[in-house]
Amino acid sequence: MPFQSRMHVRIAQGRARDPTGLHDALDRWHRDLAPRGWLGSTAGVTDDDATFIWVARFKSPRAAHRNDRRRAHREWWAATSELLHGEPTVNESTDVEKFGAGGSDTAEFVQLIQTRVRDREALRPFWTDEEARAMAEARPDTIGGLFIVFPDGACTIEVFFTTEEDAREGERRPMPPDLKEWRDEEMTHYDAEATFHDLRDPWLYSP
């Protein structure tokens, strides 16, 4: 389904002890426990280091927190956390920008890029409809995604692709010079090496 352009995002992340159990647990949450105002989710476990990531989108912070004090949700989260090694991290943000189509439940490959921003305001011109159109022309394998910045400067870029094969082919294709210059300048506004998390079997949920 199309993604909303204004939203609140919550990301839970940890090392998976039981990927199948986590998938079952998230199926249950989205079927039985998702609150009003929930817009959709992306989740999965990476192949290389078993990183579990759950990106849940909500209409507002109030919608995101609506479940937090419910006994059924607390019990579900306690049981689900046992399927991870150690305590998961949970971060939230309302500083969310959609690019391209935002995403689609038909995406067969999702990549999450995590880094830190040096200057949030300097980055705003790089996440515009103009850049999205240019990227869509250069990378038709990219459906779209979300640019999420957290209060401490950490950020997650969630990118939805048609297929992994298409995405890898797109990576190998030379970028038009003007677009490459644009992207190279954008990269100067991040102050950490990016970490890439590939979800080759993304779990995609919609209301």
Side-chain angles (χ1 to χ4, degrees):
M1 67 175 295
F3 287 5
Q4 300 286 334
S5 60
R6 301 281 297 179
M7 66 185 75
H8 179 90
V9 168
R10 174 182 287 178
I11 300 182
Q13 185 168 336
R15 286 281 313 287
R17 185 194 304 274
D18 180 356
T20 300
L22 285 165
H23 199 172
D24 291 343
L26 264 68
D27 284 350
R28 178 174 171 248
W29 189 90
H30 293 102
R31 183 183 65 243
D32 301 333
L33 297 173
R36 297 190 310 277
W38 166 67
L39 301 174
S41 298
T42 309
V45 176
T46 63
D47 292 343
D48 55 353
D49 60 0
T51 296
F52 163 74
I53 301 180
W54 176 26
V55 183
R57 307 180 300 277
F58 300 89
K59 187 176 181 180
S60 65
R62 181 179 180 183
H65 299 155
R66 184 170 282 134
N67 261 357
D68 291 351
R69 289 192 292 272
R70 290 176 58 198
R71 178 176 177 180
H73 174 79
R74 294 200 310 270
E75 291 177 348
W76 173 87
W77 180 241
T80 301
S81 297
E82 291 297 317
L83 304 174
L84 299 166
H85 294 283
E87 281 294 315
T89 61
V90 180
N91 293 298
E92 303 187 49
S93 178
T94 53
D95 187 353
V96 181
E97 296 190 42
K98 184 186 80 169
F99 57 92
S104 170
D105 285 353
T106 64
E108 295 184 18
F109 178 60
V110 176
Q111 189 172 72
L112 294 112
I113 307 162
Q114 295 183 322
T115 182
R116 301 188 67 84
V117 301
R118 177 178 289 117
D119 185 339
R120 176 66 182 101
E121 292 308 311
L123 274 167
R124 292 194 188 279
F126 294 92
W127 295 94
T128 63
D129 290 342
E130 179 185 356
E131 185 188 25
R133 285 192 294 270
M135 283 300 298
E137 292 178 4
R139 293 288 303 272
D141 53 294
T142 303
I143 297 171
L146 300 177
F147 177 63
I148 308 156
V149 182
F150 299 97
D152 66 354
C155 76
T156 294
I157 305 167
E158 183 181 27
V159 189
F160 293 76
F161 296 95
T162 50
T163 67
E164 183 176 9
E165 181 180 2
D166 291 344
R168 301 309 180 194
E169 176 62 28
E171 290 173 355
R172 292 189 290 268
R173 190 180 307 120
M175 192 175 290
D178 55 343
L179 185 57
K180 183 179 186 303
E181 182 180 355
W182 181 266
R183 293 306 299 271
D184 287 347
E185 183 180 351
E186 177 194 341
M187 292 302 105
T188 66
H189 298 298
Y190 300 96
D191 66 2
E193 285 292 320
T195 300
F196 293 79
H197 300 292
D198 294 342
L199 300 182
R200 293 186 168 90
D201 179 24
W203 314 335
L204 303 170
Y205 302 91
S206 294

